[in-house]
Amino acid sequence: MSQLFGCCRVVFNDALAYCQEQHRAGNKKPSSSELSKRLTELKKTEEKEWLTEVSSVPLQQSLRDLEQAYSNFFKSSKGQRKGKKVKPPRLKKRKSKQSARFTDNSFKLYPNSDYICLAKIGDIQVIWSRELPAVPSSVTLIKDSADRYFVSFVVEFNPQQLPKNGQSVGIDLGITDFATLSNGEKIKSPKPLKKQLKRLRKLQRNLSRKQKGSKRREVARKKLAKLHAKISDTRNDFLHKLSTQIIRENQTIVLEDLNVSGMMKNRKLSRAISDLGWRSFRTMLEAKSVMYGRDFQVIDRWIPTSQTCSCCGFHSGKKELNIREWICLNCGTSHDRDVNAAINIKVAGGHSETLNGRGEKVSLSVKKAHLGEASTHPAFEQLSIFDLLK
Ligand SMILES: [Zn+2]
């Protein structure tokens, strides 16, 4: 396996270096068939003859990965791709995550077996995390930086849509409580990074003291990588379980659009926020909604969800962050700050079960400031950001 990983890396890096060279010379990016030909030539040289010792499929796939990386980069720089700017592909390192992908006839599965067969490697024993829902079209062999091995399958299948249940939920994300649901439920986050911070710092210090290239440094690097892996596993496990539960129980899920990248610029907040994993939580909810036929909505971040009474729609102005509970001056209802916000998020998603005193639906976008309290100008309402400090 390590020989294969090495070969894939060499093929990728060689092709990338060639592309970069052509770019510097002012030429167009070499086509995929040109790169493929280059690989064939490379295998014939005495110097790189060992590339023939591994299956040729993963090597071809490495070239394809490079093509994909370039295409993502080009699309992103032309503005044809949503989301974060994609950087051009970089050379692969021996110590980071390694992978090799087998397609078509280069792998074989046995019925009811704990073994899979990979070309030129042979049978390897696996521990199944779940049953395969269909015949896979490819198998990827992965070794992460903490030296753990995984096999990942690509399968095409139509997930069973969950029966519609008419329930809807608003979710308010925060730091003290990871999520507050509009039904009043509060969910704490495991905050794995915060718990392991001391140990993490110790391992980082340990690593930085070791001489570069030494065996002890490698041991220290592995220890640190293992801890990082453990932290992200704990976080992902929590996020997956919570998002699945929410998707199962509700037909409509409404989330507030938080300015995560803006908040990440605040150095005091950034660690706490990345520890929580809001961004992945949103991505998971989005993906699972599509998978199971649920409606997922994101509401505008400037809707004053903390300032408005969810019972009568009365706009009571900005509240200090230490105010966890308040009583509406208009209708006298006492509110928990987060639960009230979660209900408002749900209402803003257009699935209101909240009616005001006259049997009208409360609409947050229509009800604006009364009685001359705090301005509703967006600049004064960066409450989403400060709400999190609570
Ligand atoms: Zn009220």
Side-chain angles (χ1 to χ4, degrees):
M1 280 190 245
S2 36
Q3 192 185 5
L4 176 64
F5 287 140
C7 290
C8 286
R9 196 173 61 236
V10 164
V11 167
F12 185 93
N13 287 349
D14 176 82
L16 176 57
Y18 180 63
C19 290
Q20 288 170 342
E21 201 180 286
Q22 294 296 315
H23 177 70
R24 275 193 295 272
N27 298 333
K28 267 180 93 177
K29 193 188 88 60
S31 68
S32 46
S33 60
E34 193 184 339
L35 291 176
S36 203
K37 261 184 219 149
R38 244 182 82 82
L39 173 60
T40 319
E41 291 302 314
L42 205 62
K43 280 181 180 174
K44 285 180 193 156
T45 62
E46 209 174 311
E47 199 187 329
K48 297 270 163 64
E49 198 195 358
W50 37 265
L51 285 175
T52 53
E53 288 169 25
V54 299
S55 165
S56 62
V57 178
L59 302 183
Q60 284 293 338
Q61 291 297 320
S62 289
L63 291 183
R64 223 178 257 185
D65 288 345
L66 180 64
E67 286 295 322
Q68 188 64 51
Y70 263 118
S71 130
N72 291 347
F73 166 62
F74 290 141
K75 277 194 180 146
S76 178
S77 38
K78 279 185 213 147
Q80 293 165 346
R81 194 187 147 94
K82 269 196 205 165
K84 241 181 166 177
K85 279 269 173 240
V86 177
K87 287 183 183 149
R90 285 184 306 178
L91 294 172
K92 286 195 191 296
K93 289 183 193 155
R94 193 162 61 88
K95 278 166 191 168
S96 43
K97 191 172 123 179
Q98 306 288 313
S99 69
R101 192 164 61 248
F102 293 82
T103 53
D104 310 321
N105 297 319
S106 61
F107 68 93
K108 204 164 68 187
L109 299 179
Y110 308 108
N112 305 318
S113 166
D114 290 340
Y115 288 87
I116 60 168
C117 182
L118 299 174
K120 291 211 183 174
I121 290 181
D123 289 354
I124 54 169
Q125 195 174 11
V126 295
I127 299 164
W128 296 100
S129 59
R130 70 178 77 172
E131 235 176 273
L132 286 172
V135 180
S137 57
S138 76
V139 180
T140 310
L141 193 60
I142 299 163
K143 182 187 147 194
D144 73 3
S145 54
D147 274 2
R148 302 180 303 173
Y149 288 81
F150 299 93
V151 269
S152 152
F153 299 86
V154 174
V155 289
E156 198 175 301
F157 81 113
N158 292 317
Q160 261 192 330
Q161 304 266 303
L162 293 167
K164 291 202 189 289
N165 67 8
Q167 294 288 322
S168 57
V169 69
I171 308 166
D172 178 53
L173 298 178
I175 286 185
T176 326
D177 295 301
F178 175 78
T180 305
L181 306 184
S182 50
N183 61 13
E185 203 180 325
K186 292 189 173 203
I187 298 132
K188 286 249 186 271
S189 156
K191 293 189 188 167
L193 181 61
K194 198 177 169 191
K195 278 186 192 127
Q196 301 279 4
L197 203 57
K198 254 193 184 164
R199 197 170 139 67
L200 195 69
R201 290 230 164 103
K202 196 179 145 201
L203 291 179
Q204 272 163 346
R205 232 176 9 245
N206 202 12
L207 176 67
S208 66
R209 284 200 196 112
K210 299 286 184 284
Q211 205 174 8
K212 280 210 171 147
S214 69
K215 273 190 181 163
R216 288 182 174 199
R217 189 184 172 90
E218 183 55 17
V219 172
R221 186 196 64 80
K222 245 171 230 175
K223 270 190 185 161
L224 180 62
K226 278 210 170 115
L227 184 62
H228 273 302
K230 189 181 166 186
I231 290 168
S232 73
D233 284 356
T234 313
R235 183 184 304 129
N236 282 332
D237 184 58
F238 163 75
L239 295 175
H240 268 300
K241 279 179 182 155
L242 180 62
S243 56
T244 301
Q245 188 201 341
I246 288 172
I247 293 282
R248 277 193 189 288
E249 290 171 1
N250 299 283
Q251 182 60 43
T252 306
I253 299 98
V254 190
L255 200 66
E256 193 174 18
D257 175 25
L258 295 164
N259 180 9
V260 178
S261 46
M263 276 183 265
M264 291 295 280
K265 284 182 192 135
N266 179 334
R267 291 183 66 190
K268 278 184 186 159
L269 273 178
S270 65
R271 193 194 302 122
I273 290 170
S274 55
D275 195 13
L276 292 165
W278 285 337
R279 177 50 68 179
S280 350
F281 185 61
R282 180 178 159 172
T283 313
M284 285 177 191
L285 284 177
E286 221 165 345
K288 289 176 187 179
S289 306
V290 175
M291 233 161 105
Y292 295 112
R294 300 307 207 198
D295 311 310
F296 176 68
Q297 291 187 30
V298 178
I299 62 152
D300 199 299
R301 74 175 76 124
W302 303 122
I303 292 177
T305 49
S306 310
Q307 303 185 11
T308 315
C309 169
S310 57
C311 281
C312 66
F314 177 70
H315 190 100
S316 54
K318 202 166 164 177
K319 285 165 208 71
E320 288 300 321
L321 292 165
N322 54 9
I323 298 178
R324 311 306 315 153
E325 283 165 17
W326 54 282
I327 292 169
C328 175
L329 293 172
N330 188 38
C331 70
T333 317
S334 73
H335 290 295
D336 173 289
R337 183 194 183 98
D338 299 334
V339 176
N340 180 60
I343 294 171
N344 282 333
I345 290 170
K346 173 170 143 181
V347 175
H351 290 264
S352 159
E353 278 126 51
T354 320
L355 302 173
N356 70 8
R358 282 154 289 170
E360 293 164 5
K361 265 193 178 179
V362 177
S363 160
L364 283 170
S365 43
V366 178
K367 291 244 173 180
K368 282 261 165 80
H370 311 276
L371 305 170
E373 71 292 285
S375 163
T376 48
H377 186 275
F380 290 92
E381 298 212 337
Q382 300 197 341
L383 58 110
S384 298
I385 298 170
F386 299 107
D387 266 358
L388 301 160
L389 286 161
K390 51 196 153 182

